[in-house]
Amino acid sequence: MSRYAAPLFALLGAIGFAVTIWMIFTDTPLQFSWQPNERHVVLATGSGSLFFNQKIFFWHVPHAIMLFLAVGVAGVSSIGFLTKRNPKWDDVALASVEVAVAFGAVTLLTGMIWAKAAWGHWWIWEKRLTMSLLLWMTLVGYTIVRRFAGASGERIAAAMAVFAMIGVPFIYTMVGAGDNHPQAGSEGNVATLNADMRPAFWSSMVTFLCWFLALVITRVQSARMQREVRELREKGLDAGVLE
Amino acid sequence: MSTLQHAARIAWKDLRIELRSKEIIFTMMFFGGLLAVIYSYVFPTNLDMIKLAVPGMLWVTIAFAGTIGLSRAFDRERENDTMRALLLAPIPRISVFLGKAVAIAVLVLLVALVIVPMLVLLLDVPLFDNPGPLLISLLLGAIGFAVIGSVFSAALIKVRSRDVLLPVIIYPLLVPLFMAGTSITAGLLAGDSEKVGFWMGFLGLYDAAFLVVSLWIFESMVIE
């Protein structure tokens, strides 16, 4: 990983951020609502329009997708760490979990703001909300373990990441058939999103992917440096150079 | 001897210690009974309402009492530093894991078998109408709890704040299990056999998936 990667992605994210905000407020239709009985996001004609509240969609969905992406990355690299015992894998897992906690917090908060406007409640025990919350809590548990469990925390946390990844389908099935979460496009396929929303949505996706990558790469690098400093210190202590 | 025989021997060792001292069984059972008494005065005693609350009471008690038993069972290995001896023994590590998990599952099941009559007695709910499915769900719940709990308790044995961290780690992972357990109990109380069937399958699948991963992961968790 070159040392220019993180600044490059951060720059792309910054440019994309400005572009996305511009597109969200100029290019996308305002009269937009979600009717309680419909599964799809549709152009509204009647009452119940969300007006500006709908704009949060362009932040909420990319963050949620990044959250699940990060959990996948953390789970797979934790499997790598537990089988290969190479701490490089652990750096990646730690970085993606910490970034996932941040992205998950944004997902939950933006979702709650939207839910208050659309459903009239801050929180509903609905399938995807429950899944995201439980997953997020497991990730917060991961960071707590990393912080307070000492030397064996790495392995315990890695096992948590693996279990969290396998647990996702169970949590999804668990909350029953009531998936009345609004879907982006028909049947949740974002490729079928309304044509006038598509440019803003994809620009937002790319922006937050860049931002996500910049954060993960930076955190991986800092975790690696922390580890190297620790190892050097131990070496120095062994050699009697350090006190 | 095969892996399973070794595992059975370790499980029997744990249970025999327990049968002699009766420490975990008595404390867990008393704690479970205490919770049942607390429930019966902190929740409304209206029979219709209590029927809706009892599944939650039953499984929350299993979670709390189970955590007590879990940390005590592994504390015992730590106090005498016998975990190292177990791991050094010329047997597969998987046997150690399976033996510990079986012993804990038995203890959790015993607590459940005490708490159910307590709830029936104190709250007058008809939990005994379908003893078969209830027993199967308790068995599956105890197995899942013991499997996930053993993996993390074994890894936490050297960690100072293990008693605080254990619930932080295992409860989020166990939520689907408790959800399935409460749904089965609620389905039995409501006479909804379709619901019971679905959640029983869910619970079985959950146990199987986490058992397979635990068997694979345990070895790398306890490397000293």
Side-chain angles (χ1 to χ4, degrees), chain A residues 23-189:
Chain A
M23 285 170 93
I24 287 174
F25 285 100
T26 56
D27 266 13
T28 59
L30 181 63
Q31 268 275 340
F32 207 85
S33 92
W34 177 74
Q35 305 292 335
N37 300 326
E38 285 172 19
R39 278 168 63 85
H40 315 311
V41 180
V42 287
L43 275 168
T45 46
S47 60
S49 292
L50 289 167
F51 296 112
F52 277 110
N53 289 315
Q54 190 276 329
K55 305 282 186 200
I56 212 163
F57 159 86
F58 296 100
W59 276 46
H60 178 70
V61 177
H63 276 94
I65 292 173
M66 296 308 146
L67 166 68
F68 286 97
L69 179 71
V71 172
V73 171
V76 171
S77 44
S78 293
I79 291 178
F81 173 62
L82 287 173
T83 46
K84 299 266 186 272
R85 298 255 135 225
N86 187 342
K88 275 183 185 162
W89 288 102
D90 187 47
D91 295 342
V92 177
L94 174 68
S96 34
V97 169
E98 286 187 353
V99 175
V101 169
F103 274 73
V106 174
T107 309
L108 292 172
L109 287 175
T110 51
M112 282 166 79
I113 295 169
W114 184 90
K116 183 65 183 167
W119 295 337
H121 300 283
W122 291 107
W123 189 264
I124 290 179
W125 288 103
E126 182 262 355
K127 196 174 209 161
R128 295 201 201 176
L129 274 68
T130 313
M131 177 166 68
S132 312
L133 181 67
L134 285 175
L135 194 59
W136 188 72
M137 289 178 95
T138 317
L139 299 178
V140 173
Y142 178 103
T143 57
I144 292 178
V145 167
R146 286 306 289 246
R147 193 155 193 158
F148 299 114
S152 43
E154 292 173 6
R155 278 176 283 127
I156 300 169
M160 280 184 86
V162 177
F163 279 123
M165 191 173 66
I166 323 165
V168 170
F170 284 103
I171 302 172
Y172 189 73
T173 328
M174 177 180 98
V175 197
D179 190 354
N180 55 359
H181 198 89
Q183 313 260 328
S186 70
E187 299 301 322
N189 183 359

Side-chain angles (χ1 to χ4, degrees), chain A residues 79 82-83 85 134 137-138 141 144-145 148-150 152 155-156 158-160 162-164 166-167 170-171 173-175, chain B residues 151-152 155-156 159 161 165 168-169 172-173 175-176 179 198-199 202 205-206 209-210 213-214 216-217 220-223:
Chain A
I79 291 178
L82 287 173
T83 46
R85 298 255 135 225
L134 285 175
M137 289 178 95
T138 317
I144 292 178
V145 167
F148 299 114
S152 43
R155 278 176 283 127
I156 300 169
M160 280 184 86
V162 177
F163 279 123
I166 323 165
F170 284 103
I171 302 172
T173 328
M174 177 180 98
V175 197
Chain B
V151 170
F152 287 103
L156 279 168
V159 178
S161 47
L165 287 177
V168 170
I169 296 171
L173 300 173
V175 167
M179 178 81 188
F198 170 80
W199 287 105
F202 179 94
L205 209 63
Y206 176 90
F210 277 69
V213 181
S214 301
W216 171 74
I217 231 170
S220 45
M221 292 289 283
V222 290
I223 287 175

